[in-house]
Amino acid sequence: MLKIGNIEMKNQVVLAPMAGVCNPAFRLIAKEFGTGLVCAEMVSGKAILHGNQRTREMLFVDEREKPLSLQIFGGDRESLVEAAKVVDTQTNADIIDINMGCPAPKVTKIDAGARWLLDSNKIYEMVAAVVDAVDKPVTVKMRTGWDHDHIYAVENARAVERAGGQAVSVHGRTREQLYTGHADWDIIKQVKESVSIPVIGNGDVVTPEDARRMLDQTGVDGVMIGRGALGNPWMLYRTIEYLKTGKLLSEPPAEEKIRIAILHMDRLIALRGESVAVREMRKHLAWYLRGLKGSNRIKDEIMEGTKRDEMVRILEDFVASLNERAALEADMAEEAVVSQ
């Protein structure tokens, strides 16, 4: 099983720290679907020190989510260290993760996120400073490199290990690739072979079979799932079961997808209030509807919805129409058999 410091997970499946997605409402669903470790969306170190209401909300950890990794980012050592101390002493997160993979210009221009990928010495200094200041295990999430010409994943992972980092997660793309092209699992394998701390692989894991292949091809200690879980926490559950037993469970029916979508929305409303939560749920509901026949016709309504009950009505009417269509098709098929 995956173990980071003294924190032991019940399996090798990790939910990636996706910005704008991994709030407590979604993380708790991921945990209820069996995920070994859930990661919170990244929080600015300076924002933590300023302590505004939105940031405090992002630091909230429900006990049912644990074990949980809370991710911070920043380019200034002093503020990053002080923020890490806040996470260490004032939250019940289990692990402190440092982001050095975010490709967003607003992050890299402040010498944070993926910008660190160009300087293993800075990685060592920053990680060591945080490790020295906190008691909780410190980990790093990184990409393979800045661009095709600057891939220093092995050197950077070694710097993390020398600095006292307890694990490293590697997304198999460069900063330049963003989320396009293919993840390079060969580099993830090279990282795994070059360090003794746990390595978690990330990138192009969208099916349970992908997770199995990543483990087999790279030898990593854990598999991190990101976009494959958007509107699809069943991907997490199905992957756990497949890795454990080799059994590939079927996809959930539409009723189950909508039931979990509404649960997700209600939990977010409890955290953020109806007005903010319903607007934030629009993108999530579109993800939950993905792949369901005829769902495109209601997505415009979803994107304009502002009230919880309005959203529920749209979703439940859609499921009812699917059931009616399925019943009609079954009747027609039966009639065709009888008439033959």
Side-chain angles (χ1 to χ4, degrees):
M1 291 300 101
L2 176 62
K3 186 175 182 181
I4 297 174
N6 61 348
I7 310 298
E8 190 166 352
M9 321 312 157
K10 61 183 179 180
N11 56 58
Q12 298 169 286
V13 176
V14 181
L15 175 68
M18 295 174 283
V21 172
C22 290
N23 52 58
F26 184 65
R27 296 195 311 253
L28 183 53
I29 289 172
K31 181 62 69 171
E32 290 169 340
F33 275 72
T35 310
L37 176 67
V38 295
C39 301
E41 57 187 316
M42 67 179 187
V43 187
S44 161
K46 289 187 175 180
I48 290 173
L49 298 183
H50 293 153
N52 62 49
Q53 178 64 28
R54 177 74 177 103
T55 302
R56 285 195 296 270
E57 290 175 359
M58 294 177 74
L59 297 180
F60 171 75
V61 178
D62 188 311
E63 278 293 322
R64 295 171 292 176
E65 300 177 69
K66 292 163 68 68
L68 176 137
S69 170
L70 203 157
Q71 188 180 75
I72 59 176
F73 74 94
D76 173 74
R77 182 165 66 179
E78 182 178 354
S79 63
L80 192 70
V81 167
E82 292 304 311
K85 289 180 180 178
V86 171
V87 176
D88 189 45
T89 61
Q90 299 180 31
T91 80
N92 57 345
D94 301 280
I95 295 165
I96 300 170
D97 189 59
I98 301 173
N99 180 296
M100 49 183 260
C102 179
K106 67 179 181 180
V107 173
T108 58
K109 75 179 181 182
I110 62 168
D111 199 24
R115 193 73 192 179
W116 292 19
L117 299 171
L118 292 167
D119 188 351
S120 62
N121 290 326
K122 174 165 185 174
I123 291 169
Y124 173 80
E125 292 170 1
M126 296 286 272
V127 175
V130 172
V131 169
D132 288 344
V134 302
D135 292 325
K136 291 175 179 175
V138 176
T139 62
V140 164
K141 184 172 190 290
M142 67 180 193
R143 285 174 174 252
T144 56
W146 180 256
D147 56 28
H148 180 73
D149 296 320
H150 300 85
I151 293 178
Y152 307 133
V154 169
E155 298 93 323
N156 292 341
R158 286 174 174 164
V160 171
E161 183 175 36
R162 289 199 314 275
Q166 297 285 308
V168 60
S169 301
V170 184
H171 181 173
R173 288 181 173 83
T174 64
R175 188 278 319 174
E176 184 180 54
Q177 282 182 275
L178 300 177
Y179 299 96
T180 64
H182 296 289
D184 191 333
W185 290 5
D186 287 338
I187 295 177
I188 296 175
K189 180 180 181 180
Q190 291 169 25
V191 170
K192 172 58 188 171
E193 292 172 345
S194 70
V195 296
S196 59
I197 58 176
V199 176
I200 300 169
N202 177 222
D204 291 351
V205 179
V206 295
T207 68
E209 297 97 323
D210 291 336
R212 179 76 271 165
R213 281 195 296 272
M214 174 175 275
L215 287 168
D216 292 343
Q217 290 179 24
T218 67
V220 289
D221 303 275
V223 177
M224 181 174 279
I225 298 172
R227 288 175 293 163
L230 295 177
N232 187 19
W234 298 271
M235 164 59 182
L236 302 166
Y237 176 74
R238 294 173 70 237
T239 297
I240 293 162
E241 186 66 21
Y242 186 71
L243 295 180
K244 183 169 63 175
T245 68
K247 182 179 179 182
L248 190 60
L249 301 178
S250 59
E251 295 278 359
E255 291 93 339
E256 175 66 3
K257 286 194 171 187
I258 297 308
R259 184 183 73 82
I260 295 299
I262 293 172
L263 173 64
H264 186 170
M265 179 167 60
D266 285 342
R267 285 179 173 171
L268 197 57
I269 289 170
L271 288 167
R272 304 270 172 84
E274 183 177 37
S275 179
V276 172
V278 171
R279 284 175 170 80
E280 189 172 324
M281 275 301 298
R282 290 169 177 169
K283 63 185 179 185
H284 289 278
L285 293 176
W287 289 327
Y288 277 106
L289 290 166
R290 189 169 47 195
L292 295 179
K293 190 173 182 179
S295 61
N296 285 338
R297 64 183 173 81
I298 68 164
K299 284 183 180 176
D300 288 343
E301 291 183 72
I302 291 293
M303 291 303 169
E304 295 175 1
T306 58
K307 299 292 184 182
R308 183 264 182 198
D309 291 348
E310 176 187 6
M311 291 293 208
V312 171
R313 177 192 58 78
I314 294 169
L315 294 170
E316 290 182 344
D317 286 352
F318 172 67
V319 171
S321 71
L322 289 182
N323 290 338
E324 289 173 6
R325 179 184 301 171
L328 179 60
E329 290 175 352
D331 289 343
M332 292 174 64
E334 185 176 347
E335 289 176 5
V337 171
V338 171
S339 64
Q340 287 179 354

